[in-house]
């Protein structure tokens, strides 16, 4: 009970009152009292806390229910966003495929110089638009944690060379030298996702070419073993471009960010490429970085620990075929001359270098006077004093150099230059950047011929696909029947034209239902199936074709 002290203060007390009886009647009471104010206050505090906890519990339950509803809404929104992006991707890629395909076919026809220039502009614009679409979709996948890395065996050197060849045409258009140095001591074969490594490298290369007006771009690759089954790969792209202000460097790998607004206006781009490269590198357990000075160029690098993979079986050129062959390398660009000379040295060749046409002529003459003439001259086309073709012309006018094999390394394979080189009896014309295996195989062939270079056909290789001397070898497809399922009329024409060039007999279905009927009625060697079509999409059409069994059930179906 609550009692009052003599001073008027209230307090809580606990009482035990016992009656004392005398002769059966209560004579008096004995009361035992204890001040329990502190305990009572503590109990009140506990009760208050319990009530507060109960209120918090109810609040948390309410919030949890709200969060669950929000999560469900977010998942629905993410799914809707994914479906939207997939649909948008399809809707953008469908006309883009038509533009790129038709432009490619147009460029293979007879065109005037003006028409070819316009067609190339269309193709380059479509390529740029496709790159933007790819960036947006890739970043959306990364943001939604839907991007999965592959794990397969690959040859890193070959992957790097492929990417450099893709970028070579744009570099040549700007008059830039492209140089590749893959450390010969480094391992080549790895396990991982080569497509994503290519993507990082292509982004770096595209930026380097975009922001470099003159000079060169160098791709440098090294790999240091770390343990028995791994190596730390370092891939770097150096350029001689505009460079980057120090305060802009921290923003480079952030999404939607470039060095400054002027750069965005002048050079374009989404600002997503480097952010995607960073995310991909981190997914692979690696990192990205940059070193740059304004006006002095930039170096973008990527490092990651990769598992070593099985050997690819790629047989290098035997050093026995080149050992002791005397070769002179003439090139004004130090990096390019070093790479070419280094590969020759590692193959056992006796190598000398020249930085100009005059120095090359002097060394050729000195070697002849010493009785140890050079057997092969490797020269760039752009030398500081005179071009490589002019040097070849002077040498061919001198009988003592009749048996000198000449390898011309132009930065671009202009048809006029190729024709002039062929007329001068140049032994080989290899457009930069040259794959080491191609260079060494060519040198071995020239060294082993033992004949004057003008007496044999000129060996020609180009990094620019549309200027290659020979079409790539194709599988024997003549007479094969292909069912093309595509609802877009332009893409029907593009695909049909490509297939016809391969010798295929093509039949076209405009929707899934028509494809099911045609696949059941006829025997096809393959079906090319568009995924998204009206009436019946490619997925359902493929299911129905498979369910019907027989020959149709075993026909390969390729998703478009």
């Amino acid at each position: 009970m609550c009692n009052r002290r003599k001073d008027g203060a209230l307090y809580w007390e606990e009482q035990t009152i016992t009656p004392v009886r005398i002769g059966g009647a209560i004579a008096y009471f004995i009361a035992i009292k204890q001040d329990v104010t502190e305990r009572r206050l503590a109990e009140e505090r506990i009760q208050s806390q319990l009530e507060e906890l109960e209120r918090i519990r109810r609040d948390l339950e309410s919030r949890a229910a709200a969060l669950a509803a929000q999560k469900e809404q977010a998942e629905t929104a993410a799914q809707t966003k994914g479906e939207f992006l997939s649909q948008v991707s399809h809707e953008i890629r469908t006309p883009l495929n038509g533009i790129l395909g038709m432009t490619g076919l147009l460029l293979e026809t007879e065109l005037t110089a003006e028409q070819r220039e316009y067609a190339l502009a269309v193709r380059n614009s479509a390529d740029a638009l496709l790159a933007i679409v790819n960036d947006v979709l890739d970043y959306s996948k990364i943001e939604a944690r839907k991007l999965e890395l592959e794990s397969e065996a690959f040859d890193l050197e070959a992957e790097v060379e492929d990417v450099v060849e893709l970028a070579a045409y744009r570099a040549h258009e700007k008059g830039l030298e492209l140089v590749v140095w893959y450390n010969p001591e480094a391992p080549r074969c790895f396990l991982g996702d080569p497509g994503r490594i290519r993507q990082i490298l292509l982004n770096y290369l595209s930026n380097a070419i975009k922001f470099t007006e003159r000079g060169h771009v160098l791709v440098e690759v090294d790999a240091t073993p770390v343990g028995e089954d791994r190596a730390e790969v370092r891939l770097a792209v150096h350029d001689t471009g505009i460079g980057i202000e120090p305060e802009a460097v921290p923003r480079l790998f952030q999404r939607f960010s470039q060095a400054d607004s002027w750069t965005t206006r002048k050079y374009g781009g989404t600002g997503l490429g480097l952010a995607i490269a960073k995310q991909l590198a981190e997914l692979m357990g690696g990192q990205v970085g940059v070193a740059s000075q304004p006006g002095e160029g930039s170096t973008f690098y990527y490092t990651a620990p990769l598992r070593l993979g099985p050997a690819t079986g790629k047989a290098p050129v035997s050093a026995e075929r080149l050992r002791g062959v005397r070769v002179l390398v003439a090139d004004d660009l130090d990096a390019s001359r070093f790479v070419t000379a280094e590969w020759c040295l590692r193959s056992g060749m006796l190598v000398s270098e020249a930085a100009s046409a005059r120095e090359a002529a002097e060394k050729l003459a000195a070697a002849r006077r010493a009785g140890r003439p050079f057997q092969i001259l490797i020269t760039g086309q752009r030398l500081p004093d005179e071009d490589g073709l002019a040097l070849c012309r002077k040498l061919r006018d001198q009988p003592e150099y009749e048996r000198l094999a000449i390898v011309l390394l132009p930065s671009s394979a202009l048809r006029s230059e190729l024709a002039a080189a062929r007329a001068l009896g140049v032994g080989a014309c290899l457009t930069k950047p040259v794959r080491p295996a191609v260079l060494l195989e060519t040198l071995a062939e020239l060294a082993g011929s033992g004949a004057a270079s003008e007496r044999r056909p000129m060996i020609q290789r180009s990094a620019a696909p549309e200027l290659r001397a020979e079409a790539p070898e194709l599988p024997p497809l003549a007479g094969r029947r292909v069912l093309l399922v595509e609802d877009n009329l332009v893409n029907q024409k593009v695909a049909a034209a490509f297939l016809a060039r391969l010798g295929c007999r093509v039949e076209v279905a405009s929707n899934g239902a028509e494809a099911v009927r045609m696949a059941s009625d006829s025997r096809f060697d393959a079906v090319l199936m568009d995924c998204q079509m009206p009436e019946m999409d490619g997925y359902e059409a493929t299911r129905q074709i498979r369910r019907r069994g027989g020959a149709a059930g075993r026909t390969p179906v390729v998703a478009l």
Side-chain angles (χ1 to χ4, degrees), residues 290-310:
V290 59
S292 181
Q293 288 294 328
E296 297 182 12
S298 305
T299 296
F300 283 84
Y301 63 85
Y302 151 76
T303 62
L306 296 179
R307 289 177 57 200
L308 297 173

Side-chain angles (χ1 to χ4, degrees), residues 479-493:
R480 298 289 183 138
R481 297 188 64 205
V482 177
L483 174 60
L484 170 65
V485 189
E486 169 65 65
D487 62 313
N488 183 278
L489 292 176
V490 173
N491 284 324
Q492 285 181 6
K493 292 180 180 179

